[in-house]
Amino acid sequence: VAFGTACKNEKSLQSYFVEANEKAGFSSIDVPVSSVLSPKADVSEDVKETIKSIKKINVVFLKRTEENETVYEAEKATLKNLFKDNKDYKTLSSMKMKGMNVNLYYSGDTDSIDEIVAFGYNQEVGVGVARLLGENMNPAKIMEVVSEMKMDPSNLQSFSAIFKGK
């Protein structure tokens, strides 16, 4: 039984990130949250604690081109299958924004989230997945942080370069 369990061929999100780093055409970044987000000087202690619970952001993205249509479709299917019936990730929401299909997932308990994942795709833009890693993140407090935070423009350029195809 132990041998069969150890050899199961289930793909994890972590293994997807590792494999995508080695594939041609993919862009990826690993960002400590402190280098992208900077709190306003007068934030509450709750916000500061929430910021401490967020460790880093990982992003993997494949820009779609006419030349890589087959790869785009394969990666989209791989990611859809990864989240389909996955017991580790619970659906937070699904939406369409400006022609982009976006699905949000989380792992952990609803009041103590360890990971938030955004998976999105669009025929014109491409396919990608981003995850926010932390410990005991509180969703309500994360929403408070979003309203209390500002993006650090000096680091935002490198972050957004992924979506512009470098």
Side-chain angles (χ1 to χ4, degrees):
V1 173
F3 179 72
T5 304
C7 293
K8 70 181 177 180
N9 196 17
E10 237 176 66
K11 187 171 207 155
S12 71
L13 186 57
Q14 178 62 34
S15 68
Y16 183 84
F17 272 88
V18 170
E19 290 170 14
N21 277 328
E22 299 168 1
K23 291 180 180 178
F26 279 81
S27 299
S28 65
I29 57 171
D30 296 322
V31 182
V33 171
S34 60
S35 72
V36 176
L37 302 173
S38 58
K40 295 177 184 174
D42 60 350
V43 296
S44 69
E45 287 302 313
D46 277 352
V47 170
K48 289 178 185 175
E49 281 301 310
T50 301
I51 292 170
K52 288 179 187 175
S53 74
I54 303 169
K55 302 301 180 206
K56 70 178 178 176
I57 301 169
N58 303 119
V59 179
V60 167
F61 186 80
L62 173 68
K63 183 175 175 154
R64 190 206 160 278
T65 63
E66 288 181 27
E67 295 78 34
N68 73 357
E69 175 68 23
T70 304
V71 175
Y72 162 80
E73 290 296 336
E75 294 303 321
K76 182 173 79 171
T78 297
L79 284 164
K80 280 184 173 182
N81 286 332
L82 194 142
F83 292 111
K84 184 181 176 183
D85 301 324
N86 188 319
K87 294 176 183 160
D88 293 332
Y89 295 102
K90 299 163 195 99
T91 301
L92 196 54
S93 70
S94 296
M95 63 193 109
K96 287 192 178 196
M97 297 179 350
K98 298 180 182 179
M100 184 103 170
N101 295 293
V102 179
N103 298 296
L104 299 175
Y105 303 93
Y106 72 95
S107 67
D109 298 321
T110 54
D111 60 346
S112 178
I113 293 176
D114 297 320
E115 184 176 12
I116 298 173
V117 178
F119 158 52
Y121 58 93
N122 175 300
Q123 187 71 18
E124 290 155 23
V125 177
V127 60
V129 63
R131 66 182 180 175
L132 181 70
L133 299 170
E135 288 181 12
N136 301 320
M137 296 182 289
N138 181 311
K141 289 188 178 185
I142 288 175
M143 294 311 293
E144 180 184 345
V145 167
V146 169
S147 68
E148 296 281 332
M149 301 290 282
K150 60 180 180 177
M151 295 303 277
D152 182 348
S154 65
N155 290 310
L156 189 56
Q157 272 187 326
S158 61
F159 185 74
S160 65
I162 280 182
F163 301 103
K164 294 180 182 171
K166 289 188 185 175

